[in-house]
Structure formats: C-alpha cells, structure tokens
Amino acid sequence: MRHFIVLILLLTSVAFNAQTGSVKGKLIDKEYNNEPLAFANVLIKGTTKGTTSDFDGLYELTDLEVGNYTLMFSFVGYETQEIEVVIVAGKATELNVTMGASAASLDEVVITTTTKRETETALLLEQKRAVVMKQSIGAQELSRKGVSDAAGAVTKISGISKQEGGGNVYVRGLGDRYLNTTYNGLTLPANDIEKKNMDLTLFSSDVIQNVGVSKTYAANFYGDFAAGNVDIVAKEHTGKFFIDASLGSNFNSNAIGENFIKSEGTGYFGFYNRYRNNPYAVILSHGVDPHGIDSPIGIEGSISGGNSWEIGEESRLSVFATASFGSKFEYRRGQFANVTAAANQIFQDSEEYEFSRNTTAMANIVYRINSDHKIKFNSLFINDATDEVGRFGIDGRGYNRNTIADNDDFGFFTQNVQFEQDMIFVNQILGTSTLNEKFKIDYGVGYNNVLARQPDRKRIALERFENTLDNDLTTNAIFFRNVDFDNQRYFQNIEDSEFNARVNLSYEQSETLRFNFGYNGRIKERTFDNQRYGYEIINPLTEIADVNNFDAFFSTENQGTLYNTSVFRSLPGLGKENLPGDLENTYSGNLDVHALYADAVYKIGGKWTLVPGLRVEHFNQEISYDVINLSFNNPGGNQASETFFLPSLNIKYALNEDQNLRFSASRTVSNPEFKEVAPFVYENVTDRIGGNPDLLNDPAFSTIINLDLKYEWFISNGEILSIGVFNKSINDPVNLVSANDATGTQRFFRTGDRADVFGIELEARKGLIKNEDEENILSAGMNITYTSTKQDLKTVSGTFNTNFNRDSDELQGASPLLINADISYSPTFGDYKPIANLVFSYFSDRIDALGSGQLGNIIEKGVPTLDFVWKNTIGENFEINTSVKNILNPRIERVRENVFFDPTLANDLGLNPDLSEFALSSYKRGINASIQIKYKF
C-alpha cells in the first residue's frame, strides 16, 4: 500500500508539473550600445510575483500555471513595457526585451544611462562579464572615498601603488616605463620629461566616469605592455538640464602659519605670460627673489552642467561640460642630500614651499543618431602649475665638498625658485555603429598637444651662510663662485604632439562565436630645448648683505661691475658675456606605431570562454640631439625599427553563475621612451638624471612573457572575493642606475639579460550591515598584493658605462607588499544621508634607483596613508563634505644604502661613519584638511 501511495503522489506531481511552464529571456539596454540591462524589474501584472534581471541581463519565472499573462518590465528612468505571453505546459517560453529611456522620464534617465556605469555594482558586473582580467573604479566610489584624481583612483585597485608626492603609478611592482595610459581608449602623451605616462593627478574626479586597469594583455592593446593599461573614461550626460556648483577650501597643517613665498611673475591661477619674450630680456627686466603670498589657504571650485534634447523619434543630442579650479599649499622641512661614493652635498635642515594650482575644463557632446549609431566629441584642457621655492642649508650647516672659502666645507646654502607649467590639450572623436545583427564598428581618432615648460628657474648658492644667522652686522654670507653657473637662470621647453586612432570591427557569427579585427596606431613627435645663463661673480668672496634681497645685487646697474651674465653657447658673431645666447641643449624624437590585430571570442557549453588573439605591430623610433658634455665623435642620434608578432590567450571558465576562473598568457614588449634615450642631464639641487641613447641599440626593446591565473567570486551586489597569481619574465630589462661617478648622475641602462616577477593578489569587498532593501549600511574592502622580483646584473659599456659588485638584485620600483583597505558607513536619517569613509593604503620599501660599483641602492621607504572622508547629503540638492587626509603624517624618505663617511666628516655631522642607510631626502608632508559645499540646481 505504501508503494502504491508513493506512486500516486509521483504521478500527481508529474501531472501537476505538466500543467505548468516558465518564461525566460534577456533584457537589452538600448541606451548603452545594446548591452545587457542588469537589475531591471520583471513583474506579472496584477500579482506580487516577479524577479530581477541578473548581471547578464537574464531573468526567469518558473512554475507558472498554463494560461495568458501580462509581464511588466521596468527600470528607473526607462519606459515601462507590458508584454503578453502565453505559458505552455512543460515549456520554457523565451521572451527577449529591448528597453529604452522614455522622453517623459528624462529626470530619471541621468540616474540610469550614465551613472549606472559609475556605480560599484555596475563595474563589478562589467568585471564579471569581461573576457580579460580588468578592474575598475567609478565616479560613485571615487566620490564616496574622497578621491580627487585618477592617480588616487587607481591606487584603490589591487596591486597598485603611487609614488608619494608625485603621480608615478606602480602596477604589480612595475613602474612608469611598463605602464600605458589611455583616455577613452586613445593614447595620452606624457606631460613631463621624467615620465612615459601623463601624471594621473592631473585628471580630476570631475571629468572621470570610471577608471579601468587591465593587468592582462589582449590583442587590442599596444604591444608596449607589461604592468597594465590604465584607461580613463570621460563623464557623459543623458538627461534633463542640470547645473552642479561647488566651492571649498583646504589647508595643510605644515603650511599654516608660514610666510609663504612663490616665484615672481606667475599668476594665481597658474599662468605665465612671458613665454614670448627672449630669456635674456626676462633676465634684464625681472629679478630672482621670490614673492610673498597673503595666506596659505587653498581654494577649490567647480561647475558642471548638461542637457539632452530629443530629436525626432530615435535621435538624441546630449551635452556635458565641467570646469574646475583648485589650489593647495604644502610646506616641507627636513634633510636633502647628494651622497654617492663621496658626500657631495648634505643639507640637514632645509625647507620647501610648494604652491600648486590645477585648472580643468572638459566638454562632451554625444549625438545618438538612433539605437544603432552614436558619435561623440570630447575635448579636455588641463593646466597644471606648481611654484616651488627651496631653501637648503637654512641652519648655516649646509655641507658642500667643493666649497672654496672654508676648509671645513660647511656653511653652504642654496636657494632654488622655480615654476613649472604643463598645458595639455586633448581632442577626440569617438563612435559606434551597429551595421546589422552581425557587424559592429567601434572607432576613435584623436589629437593631443602638451606644452611642458619650466620658465626662468633661479638658483643662487652661498657660502658662510651662518654669518646671516648671528647678530653681527659686520659679517655676511658670500657668493659661491666655483664656476659661472653656480648662480644661474634656467629656461626649459618641451612640446609633444600626437595623432592617434583606433578602429575595431566586430563580427558575431553566432551566439557562441565572435571575431574582432582592428587597427590602432600613433604618430608622436617631441621637441625639447633648454637655455641657461650663469651669473659670473667678478670678485672672489663677494659678500651679500641681505639674503632676502638678491635683486639689489643682480640689478642692471651692477652688471659688468659686480657680475657678468654668461651663456654656454654664444650666438654667431657675439660673445658669451652680457649678451643673449643660443640654446644649450636640444633634442627631437619621433615615434611611429602601427598595428593590425585579430581575436576571437569563443563560448563553449555556457562555461568556457576562449579568446585567442594575434597582434602584428610595427615600431619605429628616432632621436636626434645636440647636448653638451658628450664626446666629440658621438653620432648625435639613434634609431630603431622592429616588427613584433604578439600572441595572446585569455580563458574564462564559469564555475557557476557567480564564480569565474581565469587564465591568461601573452608575449609583449617594452620600448624605450624619449626621456630614457636622450642624453640630456636635468640637474636638481641634489640629484642629476639623464638618458642613454644606447637603449636603441640591439636589442632596442625588452620582450616579456606574461602568465596570470585568477579566481573570482561575485558574492552579491557590490561584493567580491578574488585571488590571483601572476608571473612575468622580462628579457633585457631597463633600470635607472646611479652611475658610479663623481656627480652620481642617474641614467637608464639595460642592466641584465633577464628579470622575473612573481606575485599574489587578494581582494575582498563585503557588506557588513544591510538595510531592508539589501543596501549596504556598513561595508569594508581590502586588497593585498605580495610581489617577489629578481634580476641578474652585468657590466654595461657604451656611450655611458656602469658595473655592479653583485650578480642580482630586486627590480627597480617593485614593492614586496601593497595594502589598500577602506571601511564605509552610510546610514539614512530622512533626507540626511551621510557617508563616512576611512581609507588606508601602504607600500613597503622599494628600489628607486640601483647603485653601481660599490654604491648602494637608493630606496624609497614604505609609506602608510590614512584618510577620513565625510560626505553629507542634505535633501536632494545640497551637500557639505569634509575630509582629513594623510592623518598619520608619516616621514617620506629616500635613502642611500651602505654609506661610508670619512670619520672626521661624520663626527662634524653627528653621524656614525659606517651607516646602513643615509637619508637623501626626509620630511613630513603634513595633514591636509578640506571642506566643500555643493549645490545642484
């Protein structure tokens, strides 16, 4: 009887199930290139039964009784659709729906079509769907964490750190030369002779929709790829008219109370109006003393606006524009030194005043012709300006082994006043076109121009500076007069111009197989020149009565009697003294890169995604130069031309709907940059850096084998756990080396045959407390990266030489340990919605430059950083935001390892003669606090 009852129940269940069916399908986002629309609502009209679409836009309703139903598809800001469906017994009915914005709902469209690409959830969706390993941070997260620029943004991604006090970014322990930066998928030039990439601090969060970092290679990337590619995506707007305005101020704890000074002749907004004048005319008409600033309080302000217009039934024109200005002050006091095989200069007490300004303006015009065609124009302007006044040896104990007035070499002082201005212009035309169900084109063309200038740097050197600190009016400091150029005026200009383009044709053969064919290329040109005028002090041991009024001495009336001006290169038919001169150093470089690529995206059984690819890239680089201090038979230039075949393979295996396993293998290259091959030497107060044209000899590039394996679990909306391992083998690596010479000039060399990089990355984001809508009230995230590097070292001979007293070392720029962590609390009290964030980051010690011969390495010491950001949204339109950054205020240090001092000198300096390390720079940057008021009209 029992078996009979079970059989009856089984047959009843089968019969019941035979009377039910299901409906499933995919939701398509018409407003965003027909990509899947996640988190949309699907509801059976007249009931409470429903679901939401998943990361891939998929939905399913099961166990529906046979009959007719009306399904309601809705998403905030999109037109709600009601579609009838017939449920058939035992059958899964498929219903795919394309959803678009409603003209009547434009108020809400701005929330969906634009900002959904800025949210953490949407970017995790993109990361999950991506066929290559990619991590992104969007405008929403940037705002929540108080991140003000792109450099700060990328450091919130696992395996990435930033050089403290600068914009250099390190990805997986590899520095600037191994990284690429793009803007909307098109290349960007460098703004600084010292860098390959543009300083990411120049991209304020006002212009950023999201920043993505691709750490594994695919065929559409340029072959010059090792650490990764950073892509900054510009903000767009789709919605009704709006205006946002903000105003704020900031201060630095070190700068408050200081009598701030800056370079004469520079405007408050960071512009300089003497570029058209001959440098010698500037010298005659303007002095060398810095000028005071009323109050070291920075200001911040921005305004953004946008609007959209519906044109006909399908077309839409959208405009977004933003402009911002920010200024800030920083005061640093500490030690600065140049110590190589000997103690060249040591300033145990020095101070630097830095006044920086950034002006950014961007316009984005998007014209959606219809759902198949979109074109947009993006124009970006950045003006980044920094005034820096350094006073080295202010205690009267500055040391210089080349002093001429005293036997103990103490009492040396240097004042350096300089202004740097970088003006960047970026213009792009971008578009997408869906030709039919099979073919889609994505394209872009751009033109970039960079003007990086250092006009009229003023450097004055004194001896017996201790005489200015006593109360004896009869004793004074004297001018240092070892050579004419110990006291000088310096002018430098760099211009980069670049055309670039990309096009990708996608052919979807079936739901499981898609092909991509494309081209990208760039044509880049750089020109550089500098000119120096030395102040030749006519009489030895000339006194200066007032060290705060050098202009009284360097007046036109005293020219020819107390001092002469001199140039390195005189104009034809003229002398070098008290006359205008010719350029001192020049170089020009050209870079052409053109490539064709193809890859396939092949999905197997719903689990596997295979992406094999091949890139064929032609690279040509030329440099010609005319610089001083090179041997007479130097050819004055170099050139390299290569064609690369670069295969890649990316594999994704979906363990289930929420978990992926990824593998990547590729061959890439690393090409030298202009600043690495141009032999010009830039002289800071305490260091010298120059290039090496031998890098374009055979081999002219480094080849790199990249391997990656990663597991990722998308736990829920906004939550992820991932772990990855990576390995890179670099043939013929390039390193910055402190050459074993009297000046300690740092140059770039191919220092060995091979370098190996191995690392482990761990990332976790978790909601700790949620509200009734499953939104995070308290959440935390952390990523940790451990990297181990080793390279072999060898003796290098050529235009410049170097050798090592060891066979191997770690790779320059590699931190063994990187940590980024944050915790966020976001409760809601009616219309008051505060968000409080505590953000922490840390990188461990890393090599800044290799030491050669018996010379120890220069090490950048590890730095912990802690920031607190508090955002207060009051109602729909008003915000009051505050932040306190660099709360720990750690000491920023660069040290030279294994320094040996003469015992007498060490005793005079108060040091142990046998040091494991000696600080080349050591200071604290201070705590930065700011407040901002923002209103949306």
Side-chain angles (χ1 to χ4, degrees), residues 530-565:
N530 86 289
Q531 195 169 8
R532 245 190 318 178
Y533 285 85
Y535 284 124
E536 177 189 357
I537 311 300
I538 294 176
N539 297 315
L541 308 181
T542 298
E543 293 188 356
I544 175 69
D546 186 355
V547 296
N548 296 312
N549 187 9
F550 291 116
D551 290 347
F553 182 89
F554 294 111
S555 65
T556 55
E557 292 79 10
N558 291 334
Q559 186 174 4
T561 57
L562 297 181
Y563 74 91
N564 294 315
T565 61

mmCIF file of all heavy atoms in Angstrom, residues 530-565:
data_model
loop_
_atom_site.group_PDB
_atom_site.id
_atom_site.type_symbol
_atom_site.label_atom_id
_atom_site.label_comp_id
_atom_site.label_asym_id
_atom_site.label_seq_id
_atom_site.Cartn_x
_atom_site.Cartn_y
_atom_site.Cartn_z
ATOM 1 N N ASN A 530 66.614 73.760 -23.943
ATOM 2 C CA ASN A 530 66.829 74.492 -22.701
ATOM 3 C C ASN A 530 67.936 75.519 -22.912
ATOM 4 O O ASN A 530 68.729 75.431 -23.858
ATOM 5 C CB ASN A 530 67.183 73.559 -21.548
ATOM 6 C CG ASN A 530 68.666 73.256 -21.482
ATOM 7 O OD1 ASN A 530 69.189 72.541 -22.336
ATOM 8 N ND2 ASN A 530 69.352 73.780 -20.479
ATOM 9 N N GLN A 531 67.957 76.507 -22.058
ATOM 10 C CA GLN A 531 68.940 77.574 -22.135
ATOM 11 C C GLN A 531 69.268 78.019 -20.716
ATOM 12 O O GLN A 531 68.370 78.115 -19.865
ATOM 13 C CB GLN A 531 68.371 78.748 -22.948
ATOM 14 C CG GLN A 531 69.396 79.760 -23.393
ATOM 15 C CD GLN A 531 68.813 80.730 -24.411
ATOM 16 O OE1 GLN A 531 67.623 80.727 -24.669
ATOM 17 N NE2 GLN A 531 69.649 81.566 -24.996
ATOM 18 N N ARG A 532 70.552 78.238 -20.461
ATOM 19 C CA ARG A 532 70.997 78.659 -19.134
ATOM 20 C C ARG A 532 71.862 79.910 -19.237
ATOM 21 O O ARG A 532 72.699 80.031 -20.130
ATOM 22 C CB ARG A 532 71.824 77.543 -18.488
ATOM 23 C CG ARG A 532 71.198 76.949 -17.262
ATOM 24 C CD ARG A 532 72.108 76.032 -16.511
ATOM 25 N NE ARG A 532 72.909 75.129 -17.319
ATOM 26 C CZ ARG A 532 73.793 74.281 -16.793
ATOM 27 N NH1 ARG A 532 73.957 74.252 -15.479
ATOM 28 N NH2 ARG A 532 74.506 73.488 -17.557
ATOM 29 N N TYR A 533 71.658 80.793 -18.285
ATOM 30 C CA TYR A 533 72.527 81.954 -18.134
ATOM 31 C C TYR A 533 73.148 81.891 -16.742
ATOM 32 O O TYR A 533 72.439 81.785 -15.737
ATOM 33 C CB TYR A 533 71.747 83.259 -18.286
ATOM 34 C CG TYR A 533 71.376 83.584 -19.713
ATOM 35 C CD1 TYR A 533 70.227 83.062 -20.288
ATOM 36 C CD2 TYR A 533 72.190 84.408 -20.491
ATOM 37 C CE1 TYR A 533 69.886 83.355 -21.601
ATOM 38 C CE2 TYR A 533 71.863 84.706 -21.810
ATOM 39 C CZ TYR A 533 70.704 84.173 -22.355
ATOM 40 O OH TYR A 533 70.366 84.460 -23.652
ATOM 41 N N GLY A 534 74.473 81.946 -16.693
ATOM 42 C CA GLY A 534 75.161 81.943 -15.411
ATOM 43 C C GLY A 534 75.466 83.353 -14.954
ATOM 44 O O GLY A 534 75.728 84.251 -15.764
ATOM 45 N N TYR A 535 75.415 83.551 -13.637
ATOM 46 C CA TYR A 535 75.877 84.802 -13.037
ATOM 47 C C TYR A 535 77.335 84.623 -12.623
ATOM 48 O O TYR A 535 77.635 83.900 -11.673
ATOM 49 C CB TYR A 535 75.031 85.168 -11.812
ATOM 50 C CG TYR A 535 73.662 85.727 -12.127
ATOM 51 C CD1 TYR A 535 72.509 85.138 -11.606
ATOM 52 C CD2 TYR A 535 73.526 86.863 -12.915
ATOM 53 C CE1 TYR A 535 71.249 85.660 -11.869
ATOM 54 C CE2 TYR A 535 72.268 87.389 -13.190
ATOM 55 C CZ TYR A 535 71.142 86.788 -12.667
ATOM 56 O OH TYR A 535 69.906 87.320 -12.943
ATOM 57 N N GLU A 536 78.234 85.248 -13.344
ATOM 58 C CA GLU A 536 79.660 85.177 -13.024
ATOM 59 C C GLU A 536 79.987 86.298 -12.040
ATOM 60 O O GLU A 536 79.977 87.479 -12.384
ATOM 61 C CB GLU A 536 80.504 85.333 -14.291
ATOM 62 C CG GLU A 536 81.993 85.343 -14.029
ATOM 63 C CD GLU A 536 82.787 85.720 -15.269
ATOM 64 O OE1 GLU A 536 82.161 85.904 -16.334
ATOM 65 O OE2 GLU A 536 84.016 85.856 -15.165
ATOM 66 N N ILE A 537 80.251 85.922 -10.790
ATOM 67 C CA ILE A 537 80.607 86.905 -9.772
ATOM 68 C C ILE A 537 82.049 87.335 -10.033
ATOM 69 O O ILE A 537 82.975 86.510 -9.998
ATOM 70 C CB ILE A 537 80.452 86.337 -8.358
ATOM 71 C CG1 ILE A 537 79.075 85.655 -8.212
ATOM 72 C CG2 ILE A 537 80.633 87.435 -7.313
ATOM 73 C CD1 ILE A 537 77.896 86.558 -8.451
ATOM 74 N N ILE A 538 82.252 88.610 -10.281
ATOM 75 C CA ILE A 538 83.548 89.068 -10.779
ATOM 76 C C ILE A 538 84.643 88.936 -9.724
ATOM 77 O O ILE A 538 85.739 88.423 -10.009
ATOM 78 C CB ILE A 538 83.439 90.529 -11.273
ATOM 79 C CG1 ILE A 538 82.517 90.572 -12.499
ATOM 80 C CG2 ILE A 538 84.816 91.103 -11.612
ATOM 81 C CD1 ILE A 538 82.247 91.971 -13.014
ATOM 82 N N ASN A 539 84.391 89.370 -8.503
ATOM 83 C CA ASN A 539 85.413 89.334 -7.461
ATOM 84 C C ASN A 539 85.199 88.149 -6.534
ATOM 85 O O ASN A 539 84.060 87.889 -6.115
ATOM 86 C CB ASN A 539 85.386 90.629 -6.639
ATOM 87 C CG ASN A 539 85.725 91.843 -7.472
ATOM 88 O OD1 ASN A 539 86.678 91.828 -8.252
ATOM 89 N ND2 ASN A 539 84.930 92.908 -7.318
ATOM 90 N N PRO A 540 86.277 87.425 -6.185
ATOM 91 C CA PRO A 540 86.139 86.325 -5.226
ATOM 92 C C PRO A 540 85.651 86.833 -3.870
ATOM 93 O O PRO A 540 85.892 87.990 -3.484
ATOM 94 C CB PRO A 540 87.569 85.769 -5.137
ATOM 95 C CG PRO A 540 88.270 86.262 -6.355
ATOM 96 C CD PRO A 540 87.651 87.585 -6.688
ATOM 97 N N LEU A 541 84.954 85.949 -3.153
ATOM 98 C CA LEU A 541 84.492 86.217 -1.790
ATOM 99 C C LEU A 541 83.620 87.467 -1.707
ATOM 100 O O LEU A 541 83.674 88.242 -0.742
ATOM 101 C CB LEU A 541 85.680 86.335 -0.828
ATOM 102 C CG LEU A 541 86.696 85.176 -0.838
ATOM 103 C CD1 LEU A 541 87.799 85.425 0.177
ATOM 104 C CD2 LEU A 541 86.014 83.853 -0.578
ATOM 105 N N THR A 542 82.807 87.679 -2.745
ATOM 106 C CA THR A 542 81.899 88.826 -2.753
ATOM 107 C C THR A 542 80.777 88.613 -1.747
ATOM 108 O O THR A 542 80.089 87.587 -1.766
ATOM 109 C CB THR A 542 81.308 89.038 -4.148
ATOM 110 O OG1 THR A 542 82.371 89.332 -5.060
ATOM 111 C CG2 THR A 542 80.313 90.188 -4.148
ATOM 112 N N GLU A 543 80.572 89.584 -0.872
ATOM 113 C CA GLU A 543 79.563 89.454 0.165
ATOM 114 C C GLU A 543 78.182 89.861 -0.352
ATOM 115 O O GLU A 543 78.052 90.659 -1.275
ATOM 116 C CB GLU A 543 79.930 90.316 1.374
ATOM 117 C CG GLU A 543 81.169 89.847 2.113
ATOM 118 C CD GLU A 543 81.394 90.612 3.403
ATOM 119 O OE1 GLU A 543 80.607 91.566 3.679
ATOM 120 O OE2 GLU A 543 82.327 90.262 4.147
ATOM 121 N N ILE A 544 77.151 89.276 0.272
ATOM 122 C CA ILE A 544 75.767 89.672 0.026
ATOM 123 C C ILE A 544 75.193 90.113 1.368
ATOM 124 O O ILE A 544 75.108 89.331 2.317
ATOM 125 C CB ILE A 544 74.929 88.543 -0.609
ATOM 126 C CG1 ILE A 544 73.470 88.958 -0.729
ATOM 127 C CG2 ILE A 544 75.090 87.220 0.128
ATOM 128 C CD1 ILE A 544 73.215 90.038 -1.746
ATOM 129 N N ALA A 545 74.822 91.374 1.448
ATOM 130 C CA ALA A 545 74.409 91.935 2.730
ATOM 131 C C ALA A 545 73.041 91.440 3.175
ATOM 132 O O ALA A 545 72.798 91.238 4.368
ATOM 133 C CB ALA A 545 74.420 93.470 2.651
ATOM 134 N N ASP A 546 72.125 91.221 2.232
ATOM 135 C CA ASP A 546 70.755 90.826 2.573
ATOM 136 C C ASP A 546 70.364 89.626 1.713
ATOM 137 O O ASP A 546 70.141 89.773 0.507
ATOM 138 C CB ASP A 546 69.796 91.998 2.344
ATOM 139 C CG ASP A 546 68.376 91.711 2.820
ATOM 140 O OD1 ASP A 546 68.111 90.558 3.240
ATOM 141 O OD2 ASP A 546 67.535 92.625 2.752
ATOM 142 N N VAL A 547 70.275 88.456 2.336
ATOM 143 C CA VAL A 547 69.965 87.236 1.572
ATOM 144 C C VAL A 547 68.498 87.189 1.175
ATOM 145 O O VAL A 547 68.083 86.270 0.451
ATOM 146 C CB VAL A 547 70.335 85.976 2.378
ATOM 147 C CG1 VAL A 547 71.829 85.920 2.630
ATOM 148 C CG2 VAL A 547 69.552 85.919 3.691
ATOM 149 N N ASN A 548 67.704 88.127 1.631
ATOM 150 C CA ASN A 548 66.315 88.229 1.212
ATOM 151 C C ASN A 548 66.111 89.284 0.128
ATOM 152 O O ASN A 548 64.976 89.584 -0.241
ATOM 153 C CB ASN A 548 65.418 88.550 2.415
ATOM 154 C CG ASN A 548 65.423 87.434 3.438
ATOM 155 O OD1 ASN A 548 65.270 86.271 3.083
ATOM 156 N ND2 ASN A 548 65.623 87.789 4.704
ATOM 157 N N ASN A 549 67.207 89.842 -0.365
ATOM 158 C CA ASN A 549 67.115 90.857 -1.410
ATOM 159 C C ASN A 549 68.273 90.685 -2.384
ATOM 160 O O ASN A 549 69.172 91.533 -2.451
ATOM 161 C CB ASN A 549 67.115 92.260 -0.796
ATOM 162 C CG ASN A 549 66.844 93.344 -1.820
ATOM 163 O OD1 ASN A 549 66.486 93.069 -2.971
ATOM 164 N ND2 ASN A 549 67.023 94.599 -1.416
ATOM 165 N N PHE A 550 68.249 89.583 -3.120
ATOM 166 C CA PHE A 550 69.258 89.364 -4.153
ATOM 167 C C PHE A 550 69.090 90.334 -5.318
ATOM 168 O O PHE A 550 70.041 90.616 -6.056
ATOM 169 C CB PHE A 550 69.188 87.920 -4.674
ATOM 170 C CG PHE A 550 69.631 86.883 -3.678
ATOM 171 C CD1 PHE A 550 68.739 85.941 -3.194
ATOM 172 C CD2 PHE A 550 70.945 86.846 -3.237
ATOM 173 C CE1 PHE A 550 69.150 84.982 -2.277
ATOM 174 C CE2 PHE A 550 71.368 85.895 -2.322
ATOM 175 C CZ PHE A 550 70.464 84.955 -1.831
ATOM 176 N N ASP A 551 67.857 90.842 -5.499
ATOM 177 C CA ASP A 551 67.608 91.743 -6.627
ATOM 178 C C ASP A 551 68.463 93.005 -6.543
ATOM 179 O O ASP A 551 68.838 93.591 -7.577
ATOM 180 C CB ASP A 551 66.125 92.132 -6.676
ATOM 181 C CG ASP A 551 65.234 90.967 -7.077
ATOM 182 O OD1 ASP A 551 65.783 89.954 -7.549
ATOM 183 O OD2 ASP A 551 64.008 91.078 -6.911
ATOM 184 N N ALA A 552 68.773 93.415 -5.330
ATOM 185 C CA ALA A 552 69.600 94.613 -5.174
ATOM 186 C C ALA A 552 71.004 94.388 -5.730
ATOM 187 O O ALA A 552 71.648 95.340 -6.218
ATOM 188 C CB ALA A 552 69.674 95.006 -3.699
ATOM 189 N N PHE A 553 71.484 93.167 -5.649
ATOM 190 C CA PHE A 553 72.814 92.856 -6.189
ATOM 191 C C PHE A 553 72.751 92.609 -7.692
ATOM 192 O O PHE A 553 73.546 93.168 -8.455
ATOM 193 C CB PHE A 553 73.397 91.630 -5.475
ATOM 194 C CG PHE A 553 74.780 91.267 -5.923
ATOM 195 C CD1 PHE A 553 75.891 91.816 -5.308
ATOM 196 C CD2 PHE A 553 74.987 90.373 -6.974
ATOM 197 C CE1 PHE A 553 77.172 91.492 -5.724
ATOM 198 C CE2 PHE A 553 76.259 90.045 -7.401
ATOM 199 C CZ PHE A 553 77.362 90.611 -6.772
ATOM 200 N N PHE A 554 71.765 91.790 -8.131
ATOM 201 C CA PHE A 554 71.682 91.435 -9.554
ATOM 202 C C PHE A 554 70.832 92.457 -10.316
ATOM 203 O O PHE A 554 69.904 92.106 -11.037
ATOM 204 C CB PHE A 554 71.106 90.027 -9.723
ATOM 205 C CG PHE A 554 71.996 88.945 -9.186
ATOM 206 C CD1 PHE A 554 71.641 88.228 -8.062
ATOM 207 C CD2 PHE A 554 73.208 88.642 -9.799
ATOM 208 C CE1 PHE A 554 72.458 87.225 -7.555
ATOM 209 C CE2 PHE A 554 74.037 87.650 -9.301
ATOM 210 C CZ PHE A 554 73.667 86.948 -8.173
ATOM 211 N N SER A 555 71.157 93.706 -10.148
ATOM 212 C CA SER A 555 70.468 94.764 -10.876
ATOM 213 C C SER A 555 71.231 95.063 -12.159
ATOM 214 O O SER A 555 72.413 94.735 -12.298
ATOM 215 C CB SER A 555 70.373 96.030 -10.007
ATOM 216 O OG SER A 555 71.679 96.549 -9.763
ATOM 217 N N THR A 556 70.561 95.685 -13.098
ATOM 218 C CA THR A 556 71.232 96.027 -14.361
ATOM 219 C C THR A 556 72.365 97.023 -14.129
ATOM 220 O O THR A 556 73.349 97.049 -14.885
ATOM 221 C CB THR A 556 70.212 96.607 -15.360
ATOM 222 O OG1 THR A 556 69.531 97.715 -14.756
ATOM 223 C CG2 THR A 556 69.195 95.548 -15.765
ATOM 224 N N GLU A 557 72.260 97.831 -13.078
ATOM 225 C CA GLU A 557 73.324 98.791 -12.794
ATOM 226 C C GLU A 557 74.612 98.097 -12.374
ATOM 227 O O GLU A 557 75.719 98.614 -12.627
ATOM 228 C CB GLU A 557 72.879 99.766 -11.688
ATOM 229 C CG GLU A 557 71.780 100.718 -12.082
ATOM 230 C CD GLU A 557 70.398 100.062 -12.056
ATOM 231 O OE1 GLU A 557 70.292 98.924 -11.543
ATOM 232 O OE2 GLU A 557 69.447 100.681 -12.568
ATOM 233 N N ASN A 558 74.479 96.919 -11.739
ATOM 234 C CA ASN A 558 75.667 96.205 -11.266
ATOM 235 C C ASN A 558 76.237 95.248 -12.310
ATOM 236 O O ASN A 558 77.290 94.650 -12.084
ATOM 237 C CB ASN A 558 75.347 95.420 -9.999
ATOM 238 C CG ASN A 558 75.083 96.320 -8.815
ATOM 239 O OD1 ASN A 558 75.579 97.458 -8.773
ATOM 240 N ND2 ASN A 558 74.298 95.832 -7.857
ATOM 241 N N GLN A 559 75.533 95.101 -13.428
ATOM 242 C CA GLN A 559 76.035 94.211 -14.475
ATOM 243 C C GLN A 559 77.304 94.804 -15.086
ATOM 244 O O GLN A 559 77.337 95.969 -15.488
ATOM 245 C CB GLN A 559 74.971 93.980 -15.549
ATOM 246 C CG GLN A 559 75.368 92.950 -16.588
ATOM 247 C CD GLN A 559 74.234 92.643 -17.560
ATOM 248 O OE1 GLN A 559 73.179 93.267 -17.495
ATOM 249 N NE2 GLN A 559 74.453 91.697 -18.438
ATOM 250 N N GLY A 560 78.340 93.983 -15.154
ATOM 251 C CA GLY A 560 79.615 94.434 -15.692
ATOM 252 C C GLY A 560 80.563 94.962 -14.644
ATOM 253 O O GLY A 560 81.756 95.140 -14.921
ATOM 254 N N THR A 561 80.043 95.235 -13.428
ATOM 255 C CA THR A 561 80.924 95.710 -12.353
ATOM 256 C C THR A 561 81.003 94.699 -11.212
ATOM 257 O O THR A 561 82.088 94.382 -10.742
ATOM 258 C CB THR A 561 80.422 97.054 -11.813
ATOM 259 O OG1 THR A 561 79.071 96.913 -11.358
ATOM 260 C CG2 THR A 561 80.497 98.132 -12.887
ATOM 261 N N LEU A 562 79.845 94.204 -10.754
ATOM 262 C CA LEU A 562 79.844 93.187 -9.707
ATOM 263 C C LEU A 562 79.665 91.778 -10.270
ATOM 264 O O LEU A 562 80.129 90.810 -9.674
ATOM 265 C CB LEU A 562 78.731 93.477 -8.688
ATOM 266 C CG LEU A 562 78.859 94.788 -7.906
ATOM 267 C CD1 LEU A 562 77.704 94.918 -6.918
ATOM 268 C CD2 LEU A 562 80.197 94.867 -7.180
ATOM 269 N N TYR A 563 78.984 91.689 -11.403
ATOM 270 C CA TYR A 563 78.740 90.379 -12.015
ATOM 271 C C TYR A 563 78.607 90.533 -13.520
ATOM 272 O O TYR A 563 78.341 91.626 -14.037
ATOM 273 C CB TYR A 563 77.480 89.739 -11.437
ATOM 274 C CG TYR A 563 76.196 90.370 -11.942
ATOM 275 C CD1 TYR A 563 75.546 89.878 -13.072
ATOM 276 C CD2 TYR A 563 75.647 91.479 -11.313
ATOM 277 C CE1 TYR A 563 74.385 90.476 -13.552
ATOM 278 C CE2 TYR A 563 74.489 92.076 -11.775
ATOM 279 C CZ TYR A 563 73.864 91.574 -12.905
ATOM 280 O OH TYR A 563 72.722 92.157 -13.390
ATOM 281 N N ASN A 564 78.796 89.419 -14.216
ATOM 282 C CA ASN A 564 78.505 89.307 -15.641
ATOM 283 C C ASN A 564 77.545 88.152 -15.849
ATOM 284 O O ASN A 564 77.507 87.206 -15.063
ATOM 285 C CB ASN A 564 79.780 89.051 -16.457
ATOM 286 C CG ASN A 564 80.744 90.215 -16.419
ATOM 287 O OD1 ASN A 564 80.337 91.363 -16.573
ATOM 288 N ND2 ASN A 564 82.030 89.923 -16.201
ATOM 289 N N THR A 565 76.761 88.222 -16.906
ATOM 290 C CA THR A 565 75.996 87.044 -17.326
ATOM 291 C C THR A 565 76.768 86.323 -18.420
ATOM 292 O O THR A 565 77.475 86.955 -19.213
ATOM 293 C CB THR A 565 74.606 87.438 -17.862
ATOM 294 O OG1 THR A 565 74.756 88.282 -19.005
ATOM 295 C CG2 THR A 565 73.793 88.149 -16.792
#
